[in-house]
């Protein structure tokens, strides 16, 4: 590592900038009058002795007074210059960048900050770049990269307040100053005699806060021994933390940083964050990854060269904050191989992203070549928590794949998918994302019969998996994306033949598909009750565990539907909305407005007298997860006119909630005061769906809330709004967003215009059951791309997947 004595991370403004200040002219100084010189007229023979002149005569007083004025002027102008400098420093623009000098090789002496070699190169670089702009100085930090010397630098511009300054302009000036040759078609240009690699030139605007450092919290760490762990730990219990670690490995090696635990506030990196750079300077375009929330699971990241900068900030430490981890030196890995598959059908091996199980670095490229022994066999790829879809004009956020000259985009999901290539020769190339490090990938491979992708009596899921036909429409999510459970209501059992010969399974769903009702036979048995059955009042055990309060009388005595207090009615709704139409007062008695520090923030649904259901993302971070600033407003039509208001006593966010994918986006809130029974005409709970509730695409449901009426609004509505939407097929939802899990569902209209928006989060997606008129809380407003955009419906938390979790905290609903 090479840098000047003053580290660029700790350099003050005065050390790195030149203030362009007009130097004032000197004030005129009064000189004492000179006596006129007179020639003597004749010789004076008198030898009379001359008298001594006193020190405090007029002439000396004038001299002293003049000197005092000069000193006063110097002091005045000094203070004035400091004032101007301080004022102009507020108009300073900071830039950070790097480029590679191709004709200078790295020397070990460059790591010694006071060496002659370092000072020579640093002075050379400063003089070269200063020639085309005189408004900055350049402290440099340099390090080796293959085939030359990588130079890091700060630029500090001080310009008048009225001037316009842009990052693109400075970068253009720097690149335009590099003279390139069209003849040799090389990427190396000349900058005042230095051979500069054009592809390596990077310049970004930077914050001056990066240059501030705190005592003991800025370190240069060197590692020379491969695979040896070098600790990286820091913590604090009060005050603030702002730390910079420069990690430097031996030439030809890479750095792997492993974060064991991270204690910060989860606020989307507004204040707290851990940022990892693929350079020695905080250059935005070299960010490998940024962590914005606490973690206790091991995460590791790999650089693309032998340099890494780690910045950790936690400006408001209220409890223990810090990082615990280590870094190590690793060799570069080649990604890809040639594989000869076996004749046996099935998965036989695995391949992975570079440096697995670490996050793989950006700009990597991997190539795999497969060959099957027979032309009738193709290659099947089983992706773990990942899927690929055809590439479109939008590009790929998580790398792109080229498989036998066809382009695909990758995306992360929460289940396995299988991709089959009907060819005996397969060429696969993975081009990693060019922006950030990404999650590790693990892929199994094997042969399959091209003419029969799934074995006999198996169903092929939309994820590519094969499940036994008997597992289709059994209520379990065998395909992970529920494609095995789609259209099950349309599967009519063969009513004229025995069940054993039926072409489709007999479904005990409470509806008579056969006129004689044989599709519902054998669903009720007088057998000992267990955890897979529901016990009726007459000791009959029903096979369906979710028979209670599902709107269908399963028990002969109807005991499964007794004691169900959730709402059966709602006032008639006739208005459709485009971003918001007024409801009728009392029309949605389970709708709740959650206020944070007195302002409407999210929605929720009443599910009992003291419990509400909402979205987990409404309570992300230490401030929002604290129940004390929250109040729940029930029985409200106009904001501010609630019939009942209660402080929130407890917030229970699902333990598996993922703030990046919005998976498990559900939370329970317990009221400090239960709403009174006397208000049940204005406040009513909505029914919780049965476990594994089947929903059908095209079914009409309603969304409600006080959120924004359209995407461009700056504030929400004062009157409760409603919109009719329809449930979207899950496969369409997955193909639209890619990251839709089995715990999510889509609703809206594909043409757009009817959708939830900001401020509606946590509110209900209410569907009325035809069998008994009860309203079911089918979904919770979670996320989506924009509001009311065409082909981008809203994504909702699928409540039926969380019924056991809800019952764990609210057993009274059983």
């Amino acid at each position: 590592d090479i840098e000047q004595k003053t580290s660029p991370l700790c350099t003050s403004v005065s050390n790195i900038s030149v203030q362009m200040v007009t130097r004032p002219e000197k004030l005129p100084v009064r000189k004492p009058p000179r006596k006129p010189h007179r020639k003597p007229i004749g010789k004076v023979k008198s030898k009379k002795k001359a008298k001594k002149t006193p020190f405090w005569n007029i002439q000396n007083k004038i001299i002293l007074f003049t000197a005092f004025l000069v000193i006063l002027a110097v002091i005045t102008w000094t203070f004035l210059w400091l004032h101007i400098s301080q004022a102009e420093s507020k108009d300073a623009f900071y830039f950070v960048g790097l480029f590679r000098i191709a004709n200078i090789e790295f020397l070990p002496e460059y790591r010694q900050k006071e060496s002659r070699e370092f000072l020579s190169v640093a002075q050379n670089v400063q003089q070269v770049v200063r020639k085309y702009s005189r408004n900055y100085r350049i402290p440099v930090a340099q390090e080796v990269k293959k085939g030359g010397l990588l130079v890091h630098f700060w630029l500090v511009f001080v310009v008048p307040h009225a001037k316009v300054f842009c990052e693109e302009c400075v970068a253009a000036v720097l690149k335009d100053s590099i003279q390139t040759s069209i003849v040799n078609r090389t990427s190396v240009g000349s900058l005042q005699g230095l051979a500069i690699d054009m592809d390596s030139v990077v310049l970004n605007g930077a914050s001056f806060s990066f240059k501030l450092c705190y005592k003991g919290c800025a370190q240069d760490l060197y590692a020379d021994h491969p695979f040896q762990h070098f600790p990286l730990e820091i913590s604090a219990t009060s005050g603030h933390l702002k730390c910079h670690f420069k990690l430097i490995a031996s030439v030809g090696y890479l750095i792997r940083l492993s974060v064991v635990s991270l204690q910060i506030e989860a606020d989307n990196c507004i204040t707290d964050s851990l940022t990892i750079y693929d350079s020695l300077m905080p250059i935005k375009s070299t960010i490998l990854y940024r962590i914005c929330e606490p973690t206790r699971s091991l995460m590791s990241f790999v650089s693309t060269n032998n340099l890494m900068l780690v910045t950790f900030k936690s400006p408001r430490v209220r409890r223990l904050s810090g990082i615990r981890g280590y870094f190590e030196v690793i060799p570069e890995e080649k990604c890809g191989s040639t594989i000869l598959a076996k004749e046996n059908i099935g998965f036989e091996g695995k391949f992975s992203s570079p440096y697995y199980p670490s996050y793989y670095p950006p700009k990597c490229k991997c190539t795999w070549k497969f060959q099957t022994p027979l032309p009738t066999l193709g290659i099947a790829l089983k992706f773990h928590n990942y899927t690929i879809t055809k590439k479109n004009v939008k590009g790929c956020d998580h790398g792109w794949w080229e498989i036998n000259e066809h382009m695909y985009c990758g995306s992360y999901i929460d289940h396995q998918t299988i991709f089959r290539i009907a060819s005996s020769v397969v060429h696969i190339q993975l081009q990693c994302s060019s922006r950030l490090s990404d999650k590790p990938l693990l892929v199994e491979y094997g042969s399959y019969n091209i003419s029969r992708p799934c074995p006999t009596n198996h169903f092929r899921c939309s994820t590519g998996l094969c499940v036994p036909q008997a597992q289709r429409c059994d209520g379990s999510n065998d395909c992970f994306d529920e494609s095995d459970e789609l259209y099950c209501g349309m599967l009519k059992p063969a009513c004229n033949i025995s069940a054993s010969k039926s072409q489709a399974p007999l479904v005990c769903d409470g509806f008579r598909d056969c006129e004689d009702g044989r599709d519902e036979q054998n669903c009720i048995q007088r057998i000992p009750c267990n955890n897979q059955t529901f016990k009726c009042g007459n000791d009959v055990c029903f096979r369906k565990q979710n028979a209670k309060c599902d709107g269908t009388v399963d028990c002969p005595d109807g005991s499964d539907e007794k004691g169900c207090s959730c709402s059966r009615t709602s006032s008639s709704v006739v208005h459709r909305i485009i971003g918001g139409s007024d409801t009728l007062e009392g029309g949605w008695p389970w709708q709740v407005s959650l206020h944070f520090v007195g302002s409407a923030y999210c929605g929720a649904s009443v599910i009992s007298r003291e419990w509400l259901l909402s979205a987990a993302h409404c309570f992300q971070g230490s401030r929002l997860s604290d129940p004390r600033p929250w109040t729940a407003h029930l029985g409200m039509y106009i904001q501010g006119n609630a019939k009942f208001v209660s402080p929130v006593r407890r917030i229970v966010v699902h333990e598996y909630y993922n703030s990046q994918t919005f998976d498990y986006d559900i939370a329970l809130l317990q009221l400090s005061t239960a709403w009174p029974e006397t208000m049940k005409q204005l406040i009513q709970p909505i029914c919780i769906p049965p476990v594994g509730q089947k929903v059908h695409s095209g079914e009409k449901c309603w969304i409600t809330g006080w959120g924004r009426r359209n995407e461009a609004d700056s504030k929400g509505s004062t009157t409760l709004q409603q919109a009719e939407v329809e449930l979207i097929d899950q496969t369409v939802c997955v193909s639209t967003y890619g990251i839709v899990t089995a715990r999510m569902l889509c609703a809206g209209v594909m043409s757009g215009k009817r959708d939830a928006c900001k401020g509606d989060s946590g509110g209900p997606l209410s569907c009325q059951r035809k069998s008994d008129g009860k309203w079911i809380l089918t979904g919770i407003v979670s996320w989506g791309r924009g509001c009311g955009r065409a082909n981008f419906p809203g994504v909702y938390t699928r409540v039926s997947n969380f019924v056991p979790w809800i019952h764990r905290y609210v057993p009274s609903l059983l």
Side-chain angles (χ1 to χ4, degrees):
D1 176 47
I2 297 184
E3 54 186 328
Q4 287 187 341
K5 295 180 182 180
T6 304
S7 171
L9 293 176
C10 305
T11 306
S12 64
V13 179
S14 60
N15 287 335
I16 59 175
S17 63
V18 175
Q19 314 294 342
M20 304 302 292
V21 182
T22 303
R23 186 174 180 180
E25 296 180 359
K26 291 185 179 181
L27 293 176
V29 180
R30 291 186 60 189
K31 296 183 179 181
R34 298 179 59 185
K35 292 184 177 181
H37 179 68
R38 298 180 180 177
K39 293 183 179 181
I41 303 174
K43 293 182 179 181
V44 179
K45 296 181 180 181
S46 175
K47 295 182 180 180
K48 190 176 182 180
K49 194 173 183 179
K51 294 182 179 180
K52 289 185 178 181
T53 306
F55 178 78
W56 292 107
N57 60 9
I58 296 176
Q59 181 177 351
N60 290 342
K61 286 181 180 181
I62 292 175
I63 294 174
L64 290 174
F65 181 71
T66 304
F68 172 76
L69 289 179
V70 171
I71 294 173
L72 181 62
V74 170
I75 294 174
T76 301
W77 283 112
T78 300
F79 279 107
L80 180 60
W81 184 88
L82 291 174
H83 173 74
I84 295 174
S85 299
Q86 186 176 8
E88 288 196 345
S89 66
K90 298 178 182 178
D91 296 325
F93 290 84
Y94 299 88
F95 296 87
V96 63
L98 59 84
F99 56 75
R100 186 176 68 90
I101 306 177
N103 60 353
I104 298 181
E105 294 299 326
F106 179 76
L107 299 175
E109 289 77 11
Y110 289 157
R111 287 186 174 178
Q112 301 173 11
K113 302 176 182 179
E114 298 182 358
S115 69
R116 180 179 57 186
E117 290 79 6
F118 169 82
L119 295 175
S120 175
V121 172
Q123 184 178 10
N124 189 17
V125 173
Q126 285 183 339
Q127 290 177 350
V128 166
V129 184
R130 190 181 297 128
K131 285 184 179 180
Y132 67 89
S133 182
R134 288 179 287 177
N135 284 15
Y136 55 81
R137 293 180 183 174
I138 310 169
V140 295
Q142 305 169 34
E143 184 51 60
V144 64
K145 194 173 183 180
K146 285 186 177 181
L149 193 67
L150 194 65
V151 178
H152 297 70
F153 56 88
W154 285 93
L155 303 182
V156 183
F157 288 81
V158 179
V159 298
H161 182 70
K163 298 292 184 181
V164 178
F165 224 60
C166 66
E167 177 178 320
E168 295 80 8
C169 305
V170 179
V173 169
L174 177 60
K175 291 183 179 181
D176 290 345
S177 299
I178 303 175
Q179 298 176 356
T180 57
S181 173
I182 302 178
V183 178
N184 55 18
R185 298 184 180 274
T186 178
S187 62
V188 176
S190 176
L191 180 63
Q192 299 294 331
L194 293 180
I196 304 299
D197 181 3
M198 294 292 295
D199 296 332
S200 69
V201 179
V202 176
L203 188 67
N204 289 155
S207 169
F208 178 66
S209 61
F210 278 114
K211 300 179 72 59
L212 301 177
C213 65
Y214 296 88
K215 187 175 181 181
C217 216
Q219 301 181 33
D220 295 359
L221 303 175
Y222 296 89
D224 296 324
H225 302 289
F227 300 108
Q228 180 180 345
H229 288 189
F230 297 87
L232 185 69
E233 297 185 9
I234 192 164
S235 62
T237 55
S238 63
H240 53 252
L241 281 174
K242 194 159 193 174
C243 305
H244 309 277
F245 301 96
K246 288 195 291 185
L247 313 180
I248 304 169
S250 302
V251 177
Y253 286 88
L254 307 180
I255 296 174
R256 174 156 52 202
L257 171 69
S258 297
V259 179
V260 178
S261 66
L262 182 65
Q263 296 293 330
I264 57 175
E265 298 289 338
D267 63 351
N268 292 323
C269 281
I270 297 175
T271 58
D272 293 28
S273 66
L274 177 74
T275 308
I276 305 164
Y277 297 89
D278 198 34
S279 63
L280 289 182
M281 291 287 195
I283 301 172
K284 290 183 296 183
S285 58
T286 65
I287 292 178
L288 285 175
Y289 204 78
R290 177 169 285 166
I291 306 177
C292 303
E293 57 188 20
T295 179
R296 292 185 179 274
S297 58
L298 180 65
M299 303 172 66
S300 60
F301 308 90
V302 178
S303 65
T304 63
N305 53 64
N306 61 326
L307 311 170
M308 185 179 284
L309 172 67
V310 181
T311 65
F312 176 78
K313 65 174 183 176
S314 183
R316 294 193 298 271
V317 178
R318 298 179 181 176
R319 58 176 184 267
L320 179 63
S321 293
I323 177 179
R324 185 166 64 90
Y326 59 88
F327 72 98
E328 57 188 319
V329 177
I330 61 173
E332 291 191 50
E333 292 182 6
K334 289 186 177 181
C335 182
S337 59
T338 300
I339 301 171
L340 180 62
K342 298 178 181 178
E343 188 173 347
N344 298 333
I345 294 176
F347 294 100
E348 60 185 75
K350 299 177 181 178
F351 64 90
S352 63
S353 56
Y355 309 101
Y356 185 87
S358 299
Y359 280 53
Y360 60 86
K363 301 180 181 179
C364 62
K365 183 181 291 186
C366 307
T367 301
W368 296 275
K369 296 179 181 179
F370 293 88
Q371 173 74 58
T372 62
L374 298 174
T376 57
L377 298 180
I379 292 295
L381 305 175
K382 182 191 287 186
F383 293 94
H384 291 245
N385 301 321
Y386 193 78
T387 189
I388 59 175
T389 55
K390 285 190 176 181
K391 189 177 183 295
N392 53 33
V393 293
K394 294 188 297 184
C396 304
D397 294 328
H398 301 284
W400 54 267
W401 297 73
E402 181 180 352
I403 302 178
N404 283 2
E405 299 183 352
H406 294 280
M407 307 301 296
Y408 301 88
C409 285
S411 58
Y412 291 90
I413 52 178
D414 70 335
H415 54 78
Q416 299 174 352
T417 59
I418 293 180
F419 186 85
R420 295 179 175 86
I421 306 108
S423 174
S424 60
V425 178
V426 178
H427 185 277
I428 300 174
Q429 180 174 296
L430 167 64
Q431 181 70 53
C432 305
S433 171
S434 61
R435 292 180 294 178
L436 300 174
S437 296
D438 228 330
K439 297 178 183 178
L441 293 175
L442 182 63
V443 186
E444 295 184 61
Y445 67 86
S447 301
Y448 83 100
N449 190 330
I450 295 176
S451 61
R452 186 187 298 172
C454 285
T456 307
N457 297 325
H458 277 65
F459 169 74
R460 182 177 176 180
C461 309
S462 62
T463 58
L465 298 173
C466 297
V467 300
Q469 189 70 34
Q471 295 182 12
R472 189 181 182 195
C473 297
D474 63 352
S476 60
N477 187 18
D478 302 295
C479 289
F480 294 104
D481 65 346
E482 296 191 346
S483 57
D484 56 318
E485 299 300 315
L486 295 175
Y487 310 112
C488 289
M490 300 175 63
L491 294 176
K492 301 296 182 181
C495 301
N496 298 324
I497 56 177
S498 64
S500 61
K501 297 180 181 179
S502 176
Q503 299 298 317
L506 295 177
V507 183
C508 294
D509 57 0
F511 296 94
R512 285 191 173 191
D513 297 299
C514 298
E515 293 182 359
D516 58 1
R518 69 175 58 191
D519 58 308
E520 294 299 307
Q521 291 176 1
N522 300 322
C523 292
I524 301 176
Q525 297 179 355
R526 292 180 179 276
I527 58 176
C529 295
N530 53 42
N531 59 358
Q532 299 297 323
T533 60
F534 171 75
K535 185 175 182 180
C536 302
N538 57 357
D539 292 331
V540 172
C541 287
F542 189 70
R543 281 184 177 176
K544 289 200 303 181
Q545 190 179 6
N546 57 339
K548 178 71 174 175
C549 295
D550 65 350
T552 303
V553 177
D554 299 305
C555 297
D557 61 352
S559 57
D560 58 311
E561 294 301 308
K562 292 181 180 178
C564 300
S565 58
C566 52
S567 181
R568 289 177 177 268
T569 61
S570 173
S571 63
S572 60
V573 284
V574 295
H575 301 288
R576 292 189 175 187
I577 64 170
I578 301 177
S581 265
D582 295 351
T583 66
L584 299 178
E585 187 168 8
W588 307 98
W590 50 85
Q591 177 73 51
V592 180
S593 179
L594 298 176
H595 288 214
F596 181 76
V597 197
S599 299
Y601 194 85
C602 272
S605 303
V606 178
I607 60 172
S608 76
R609 288 194 56 212
E610 60 174 335
W611 285 94
L612 313 176
L613 202 59
S614 186
H617 74 263
C618 292
F619 314 101
Q620 184 179 347
S622 60
R623 291 188 64 210
L624 295 174
S625 61
D626 184 354
R628 290 173 295 180
W630 289 94
T631 54
H633 296 240
L634 285 68
M636 187 170 71
Y637 173 59
I638 304 294
Q639 276 288 350
N641 295 331
K643 301 299 187 294
F644 179 80
V645 179
S646 171
V648 174
R649 175 184 175 186
R650 183 185 181 191
I651 299 175
V652 183
V653 174
H654 199 284
E655 57 271 22
Y656 296 151
Y657 168 64
N658 187 321
S659 62
Q660 295 184 352
T661 63
F662 293 95
D663 201 7
Y664 294 90
D665 192 12
I666 189 170
L668 279 163
L669 288 80
Q670 187 177 18
L671 301 177
S672 297
T673 307
W675 52 273
E677 284 279 3
T678 55
M679 303 188 70
K680 62 182 179 180
Q681 295 299 323
L682 296 173
I683 305 173
Q684 295 179 25
I686 188 171
C687 299
I688 297 298
V691 178
Q693 173 199 30
K694 297 180 178 66
V695 296
H696 306 286
S697 60
E699 182 180 346
K700 304 295 184 182
C701 299
W702 290 85
I703 52 176
T704 48
W706 289 273
R708 298 180 181 181
R709 295 189 181 211
N710 57 65
E711 195 173 329
D713 274 356
S714 58
K715 59 182 181 179
S717 171
T718 57
T719 305
L720 181 62
Q721 305 293 295
Q722 64 189 18
E724 187 184 44
V725 295
E726 61 183 40
L727 303 184
I728 307 296
D729 184 271
Q730 189 76 358
T731 56
V732 175
C733 190
V734 171
S735 65
T736 299
Y737 288 108
I739 56 174
V740 175
T741 71
R743 288 159 295 279
M744 305 174 188
L745 59 87
C746 283
V749 287
M750 297 307 291
S751 61
K753 298 182 180 179
R754 278 179 274 164
D755 195 6
C757 201
K758 188 173 182 180
D760 295 321
S761 292
L765 173 68
S766 308
C767 305
Q768 191 171 28
R769 193 159 51 198
K770 294 179 181 179
S771 59
D772 58 359
K774 286 186 178 180
W775 286 89
I776 308 298
L777 183 60
T778 302
I780 299 171
V781 179
S782 181
W783 63 281
R785 182 169 296 179
C787 303
R789 296 187 185 182
N791 300 317
F792 289 101
V795 185
Y796 298 79
T797 304
R798 190 186 293 263
V799 178
S800 61
N801 283 28
F802 298 95
V803 174
W805 181 81
I806 296 171
H807 288 163
R808 189 193 315 167
Y809 296 96
V810 195
S812 60
L813 294 179
L814 290 170

